[in-house]
Amino acid sequence: MLHELLLALVGYTGDLIIDEREHHKSLGICLSPDAPISEQRSFKLASDISFIDPSERDLIEKLITLGFYYRELDRFATKSRNLSWIRAADVSPLDRASELSNPKSGKPSVYRRAIANGLVEILSVYKSAVLQLEQKLLSETMPILATVTQGLNKFFVILPPLYELILEIERDDIRGGQLLNLLHKRCHCGVPELQACIQRLLWHGHQVLYNQLSSWMIYGILQDQHGEFFIRRQEDRDVEYGSSISDTSEKLARLSTVDTSLTDWHLGFHIFLDMLPEYIHIRVAESILFAGKAIRVLRNPSPAIQFQDALSNQQTKKGSQKFHGSAVGVPFQKEVFLDVKTIGEELLPQSVADKIETMLLDLKESSEFHKRSFECSVDSIRAIAASHLWQLVVVRADLNGHLKALKDYFLLAKGDFFQCFLEESRQLMRLPPRQSTAEADLMVPFQLAAIKTIGEEDKYFSRVSLQMPSFGITVKSSQRDIPKTKAYTDGSSETSVGGWDGIALEYSVDWPLQLFFTQEVLSKYRRIFQYLLRLKRTQMELEKSWASVMHQEHTYFAKHRKDQMNCSISQPPQQCFRPMWRVREHMAFLIRNLQFYIQVDVIESQWNVLQSHIQDSRDFTELVGFHQEYLSALISQSFLDIGSVSRILDSIMTLCLQFCWNIENQESSQNTSELERITEEFNKKSNSLYTILRSSRLAGSQRAPFLRRFLLRMNFNSFFEATARGVLNVVRPRPSLPVLNQQ
């Protein structure tokens, strides 16, 4: 009987101690899986044993519950440590997608295997205690149950909670970071023995986590075969959110055509919050994600970097070829290519990788998880990765030179080039653009302006290309009132002259600058460029209209100088429009001040701030943040993000162009009413603009710190302030142009 009791304590039943669960199964009776823990313990003394006292029976049945817990824990450990899944390690993408879409499919778990290893350690201690009891009982002449109870008493506070733990793990299919989270919560208990056991299980789970972190943060490799790490590939996310497998495959095929490192950086990986333990902050997880992606970039440089030096050297020899469209590709030559591995070692020296490995190894060898030490190590690794990525992007790839080029061309810092371009294309832009040839038509004045103003030492101009996005016949509301005069419309179904507002620039960016200049960033630059180009075009048209009409009047007077006495009553053709020149001056005054405000107060000041940040920072992510702040400041301080202001500015520029075209193309007073309408509308819009900008919500806020200077220039003689009070609600004034007579 003694040996049968000892065998039952290690999970083996017999005639004296039976397993009621198996007995019920043989009778066709199944216990409910949701039954209480006390009912699930199935080790019992046989009911036909009559020679044992009731007190001893109770004591024996209490002892043999430990055997039941041991058996169940051992079954869980054996099942979780089963290595048969290794033979199926090379799973296809379809099978992997199927596993991710069906998380309870019984797939293996490396985290469960680690926990099982910890359980084996605990069970081995229990088994050793049973063996010591056997030796002690055999050495005694009169073995007593009290000896067994005394030797195994400490396991009554360890094995039952562990059994509850594995029940919860199997019932809810807990794995990965969720399993670490569960163990971390169970560590907070008031039983020192149980706390030590669960901490040991958590230590085993953290070993897997540290191995995955080492693979990710040292080599840039995501070692996560069963989707248990809190960093996942993007295609896994697509499957989780219900995308079909075919859609995912098509997306991957599409992305494979571009640079792999660029794809990995922007679209390759994401944080899977379901597997992120609660004791790891999301900020720390983002640092881990960034560090791994940065290491991937540094260890796997694009082939493009291998011939960039040769490309820049050959570009300086092209001469006039640089103005013939976009940059001509340099032929791939074998002598240009360097060893990719050598370049990777230059970008991330082995000593740096060893330093990262040492920090993670220190965390791994610690007996307990210290949150502060973990976060400090992650921050240090992230800083190392960000510093080397900064070295690659800022120093090696000449980030500041490209930022200066974007400022020159997208923010119109090269004013002579765009002045020349607008002058060369002025007559073309007075006709509606043709959908089929608009971009080709613009290339001629674009290339002429480049030849006249861009020097051969400008190595960045070859990256700039002009584009005319596809446009339909839909006309914006601000363009619908443009008169259909013969000078700038035709009878075709082409779009109106407002279609030229869609002119855009493209900038060719090589690796690794694509990590910095994303498509979102370049789209913001294009948006600002279209706004500034339209503003400059409006300013030029106002100046050209004055010069054109003055030239016509001088020609008229020179021709009719001898007949002046006989024709004293008649007026020159433009004489009736002379009151409008005051309106033109008001338009030019507003446009000039707005242009000066944006170019000097906004762009130059923000550029200086960005340059100071670039000089002081050695962190790639900081630079990205500073550049985003720079673009956001340009957009907000130029009022492009305020719908009411941007619509008014659009209307004002449209009215200015309408005014210029009407003045230049009329030879009599037949269009005076149209000019009066434009004047009235301009007065309303300009005063509405002034009223909005001087409001405390804008002028008193920090979003536009130099707005007060702009308002001071506009209202230096209190003209706008005086007229803004009454113009907004005035019906068409009589006599015409009353606002102009207030000065």
Side-chain angles (χ1 to χ4, degrees):
M1 179 177 178
L2 174 62
H3 281 89
E4 190 154 353
L5 174 62
L6 293 175
L7 287 172
L9 288 174
V10 291
Y12 296 98
T13 58
D15 295 331
L16 182 64
I17 300 173
I18 63 173
D19 186 352
E20 285 191 343
R21 182 186 297 175
E22 294 181 359
H23 180 64
H24 287 162
K25 283 183 179 179
S26 63
L27 299 177
I29 304 174
C30 295
L31 292 175
S32 172
D34 298 329
I37 301 296
S38 59
E39 296 182 10
Q40 293 187 25
R41 297 187 303 236
S42 58
F43 282 17
K44 302 287 183 182
L45 273 174
S47 58
D48 55 353
I49 297 177
S50 58
F51 58 86
I52 299 179
D53 293 336
S55 60
E56 291 181 340
R57 174 182 287 272
D58 293 341
L59 186 57
I60 290 174
E61 289 193 345
K62 179 182 178 182
L63 285 171
I64 61 178
T65 56
L66 294 178
F68 169 77
Y69 294 136
Y70 174 88
R71 188 188 69 176
E72 295 302 312
L73 291 171
D74 186 62
R75 282 182 179 178
F76 174 82
T78 304
K79 177 182 177 182
S80 299
R81 299 176 75 199
N82 184 11
L83 298 179
S84 61
W85 55 271
I86 294 180
R87 283 173 281 177
D90 297 329
V91 294
S92 66
L94 294 179
D95 295 335
R96 176 165 174 76
S98 177
E99 284 185 356
L100 287 168
S101 61
N102 184 18
K104 295 189 177 182
S105 58
K107 64 175 185 276
S109 167
V110 290
Y111 280 86
R112 283 196 190 181
R113 175 172 170 77
I115 302 305
N117 290 334
L119 285 175
V120 169
E121 290 182 2
I122 298 172
L123 295 180
S124 65
V125 175
Y126 170 79
K127 196 172 183 179
S128 298
V130 174
L131 291 175
Q132 289 178 3
L133 278 175
E134 182 183 19
Q135 294 175 0
K136 189 173 183 180
L137 291 173
L138 291 176
S139 64
E140 293 181 357
T141 56
M142 290 293 292
I144 56 175
L145 287 175
T147 303
V148 181
T149 304
Q150 181 197 9
L152 300 179
N153 189 52
K154 62 180 180 180
F155 293 101
F156 283 104
V157 296
I158 296 176
L159 297 187
L162 292 180
Y163 174 63
E164 294 180 13
L165 178 67
I166 66 167
L167 283 182
E168 184 175 352
I169 291 173
E170 291 187 323
R171 182 184 68 245
D172 298 335
D173 192 45
I174 300 176
R175 59 182 66 244
Q178 297 173 343
L179 186 53
L180 296 180
N181 198 47
L182 175 63
L183 292 173
H184 188 264
K185 289 180 178 179
R186 293 293 182 93
C187 278
H188 303 290
C189 64
V191 183
E193 296 85 353
L194 178 61
Q195 186 179 34
C197 290
I198 297 182
Q199 282 180 347
R200 185 62 182 173
L201 297 181
L202 185 60
W203 180 87
H204 278 277
H206 281 150
Q207 297 306 297
V208 178
L209 176 65
Y210 289 133
N211 288 336
Q212 290 179 324
L213 288 175
S214 298
S215 176
W216 176 247
M217 301 176 77
I218 299 174
Y219 305 102
I221 299 173
L222 185 61
Q223 195 70 28
D224 185 27
Q225 186 177 0
H226 307 296
E228 297 181 285
F229 195 33
F230 56 82
I231 293 175
R232 286 194 180 180
R233 282 194 170 274
Q234 191 69 27
E235 58 263 29
D236 298 345
R237 185 182 190 181
D238 294 335
V239 173
E240 291 159 17
Y241 285 95
S243 298
S244 66
I245 296 174
S246 60
D247 291 342
T248 304
S249 302
E250 290 176 5
K251 182 177 180 181
L252 291 175
R254 241 181 3 257
L255 294 178
S256 63
T257 59
V258 299
D259 194 345
T260 304
S261 62
L262 180 63
T263 305
D264 285 347
W265 181 265
H266 293 299
L267 301 173
F269 303 95
H270 71 283
I271 296 175
F272 185 53
L273 294 178
D274 290 349
M275 288 297 174
L276 179 64
E278 293 181 1
Y279 55 89
I280 298 179
H281 196 272
I282 183 64
R283 178 192 62 80
V284 181
E286 290 174 348
S287 297
I288 294 172
L289 175 64
F290 168 81
K293 293 197 302 182
I295 296 299
R296 285 180 69 89
V297 170
L298 295 171
R299 285 193 176 273
N300 303 284
S302 169
I305 197 174
Q306 302 171 37
F307 62 92
Q308 281 178 3
D309 293 337
L311 176 62
S312 60
N313 292 335
Q314 292 191 22
Q315 279 181 337
T316 58
K317 301 176 183 179
K318 289 181 183 178
S320 60
Q321 293 181 3
K322 67 184 294 185
F323 302 119
H324 292 224
S326 59
V328 180
V330 178
F332 291 88
Q333 298 178 359
K334 292 184 179 180
E335 59 269 16
V336 175
F337 288 95
L338 302 175
D339 187 2
V340 176
K341 185 176 180 180
T342 304
I343 297 177
E345 291 177 354
E346 291 178 4
L347 299 178
L348 185 70
Q350 185 60 39
S351 59
V352 176
D354 293 341
K355 183 179 179 181
I356 297 175
E357 185 176 9
T358 301
M359 285 189 282
L360 291 175
L361 190 61
D362 291 341
L363 292 175
K364 186 176 181 180
E365 292 177 349
S366 177
S367 59
E368 294 184 13
F369 179 84
H370 298 284
K371 183 177 180 181
R372 183 174 180 181
S373 300
F374 179 78
E375 292 181 354
C376 289
S377 298
V378 169
D379 289 341
S380 299
I381 296 172
R382 180 206 163 280
I384 292 172
S387 175
H388 283 78
L389 197 59
W390 175 91
Q391 184 76 19
L392 170 65
V393 173
V394 177
V395 178
R396 186 159 186 160
D398 187 23
L399 173 66
N400 212 30
H402 289 274
L403 285 172
K404 181 65 167 58
L406 287 170
K407 176 175 178 281
D408 287 343
Y409 297 108
F410 282 79
L411 305 183
L412 273 60
K414 280 191 177 294
D416 55 343
F417 168 74
F418 287 100
Q419 181 72 22
C420 184
F421 167 68
L422 290 174
E423 289 178 355
E424 296 288 347
S425 60
R426 185 172 178 239
Q427 295 303 320
L428 174 65
M429 290 188 184
R430 306 194 85 174
L431 299 172
R434 295 183 176 87
Q435 291 184 349
S436 56
T437 63
E439 188 171 323
D441 293 340
L442 282 174
M443 284 307 299
V444 175
F446 189 77
Q447 292 173 4
L448 287 174
I451 293 172
K452 292 179 179 180
T453 60
I454 305 297
E456 293 185 0
E457 69 279 0
D458 189 343
K459 61 181 180 180
Y460 301 102
F461 179 75
S462 59
R463 298 178 177 273
V464 179
S465 60
L466 189 68
Q467 284 196 352
M468 191 70 187
S470 58
F471 48 82
I473 60 173
T474 304
V475 181
K476 290 197 271 187
S477 59
S478 59
Q479 304 289 342
R480 288 173 185 163
D481 297 329
I482 297 179
K484 300 294 190 293
T485 59
K486 187 176 180 180
Y488 51 91
T489 60
D490 56 18
S492 66
S493 61
E494 303 283 353
T495 185
S496 72
V497 289
W500 295 112
D501 295 338
I503 296 175
L505 289 183
E506 291 292 334
Y507 192 78
S508 174
V509 181
D510 293 330
W511 189 93
L513 288 173
Q514 293 156 326
L515 308 178
F516 191 87
F517 296 115
T518 63
Q519 288 302 315
E520 179 185 1
V521 167
L522 293 178
S523 67
K524 290 181 179 179
Y525 272 108
R526 281 192 291 270
R527 181 183 177 190
I528 300 172
F529 165 76
Q530 290 177 329
Y531 173 63
L532 294 178
L533 185 67
R534 191 178 179 197
L535 190 63
K536 189 170 185 66
R537 180 189 173 198
T538 304
Q539 179 249 342
M540 187 195 72
E541 286 292 341
L542 288 169
E543 293 177 355
K544 292 291 185 181
S545 64
W546 169 261
S548 175
V549 175
M550 290 301 99
H551 176 73
Q552 292 180 20
E553 287 199 7
H554 293 161
T555 303
Y556 178 85
F557 280 114
K559 182 179 179 181
H560 299 280
R561 184 180 304 167
K562 295 181 181 180
D563 303 330
Q564 237 177 359
M565 297 300 297
N566 299 329
C567 304
S568 58
I569 301 178
S570 64
Q571 290 184 337
Q574 299 292 337
Q575 192 72 20
C576 59
F577 297 112
R578 283 193 171 180
M580 294 296 175
W581 294 123
R582 189 178 299 174
V583 179
R584 189 212 68 87
E585 178 55 32
H586 292 163
M587 290 179 173
F589 175 77
L590 174 59
I591 296 298
R592 279 197 307 269
N593 278 284
L594 179 61
Q595 199 173 20
F596 184 86
Y597 163 73
I598 294 177
Q599 291 290 349
V600 178
D601 292 339
V602 176
I603 294 178
E604 286 300 325
S605 63
Q606 292 300 322
W607 172 257
N608 293 333
V609 172
L610 178 63
Q611 287 299 300
S612 65
H613 286 320
I614 292 176
Q615 294 296 326
D616 298 338
S617 177
R618 292 297 182 271
D619 190 305
F620 176 78
T621 50
E622 284 185 357
L623 280 186
V624 173
F626 292 144
H627 188 243
Q628 291 288 353
E629 292 175 3
Y630 167 71
L631 288 178
S632 299
L634 294 184
I635 291 175
S636 63
Q637 294 184 29
S638 300
F639 319 118
L640 291 176
D641 60 340
I642 307 178
S644 58
V645 177
S646 61
R647 284 191 295 270
I648 290 175
L649 289 173
D650 284 344
S651 300
I652 287 176
M653 286 187 280
T654 300
L655 290 169
C656 291
L657 292 177
Q658 290 179 5
F659 181 88
C660 295
W661 294 331
N662 275 278
I663 286 291
E664 290 187 43
N665 296 302
Q666 296 298 325
E667 298 180 355
S668 64
S669 59
Q670 60 182 353
N671 207 31
T672 304
S673 61
E674 178 63 21
L675 289 172
E676 290 181 357
R677 183 197 66 80
I678 294 175
T679 302
E680 177 190 352
E681 193 68 23
F682 171 77
N683 289 331
K684 288 183 179 180
K685 296 293 184 183
S686 59
N687 285 282
S688 297
L689 176 66
Y690 177 78
T691 303
I692 294 176
L693 294 182
R694 71 186 295 270
S695 64
S696 58
R697 186 176 179 183
L698 284 181
S701 67
Q702 291 300 315
R703 63 172 285 133
F706 301 105
L707 179 58
R708 291 184 181 274
R709 295 185 187 178
F710 173 55
L711 295 175
L712 179 62
R713 295 189 199 104
M714 283 182 60
N715 194 44
F716 73 98
N717 60 354
S718 301
F719 173 72
F720 271 100
E721 186 175 2
T723 56
R725 296 192 185 101
V727 172
L728 294 180
N729 297 317
V730 172
V731 189
R732 181 182 292 263
R734 293 185 183 277
S736 61
L737 310 178
V739 176
L740 305 178
N741 297 328
Q742 292 182 16
Q743 282 191 327

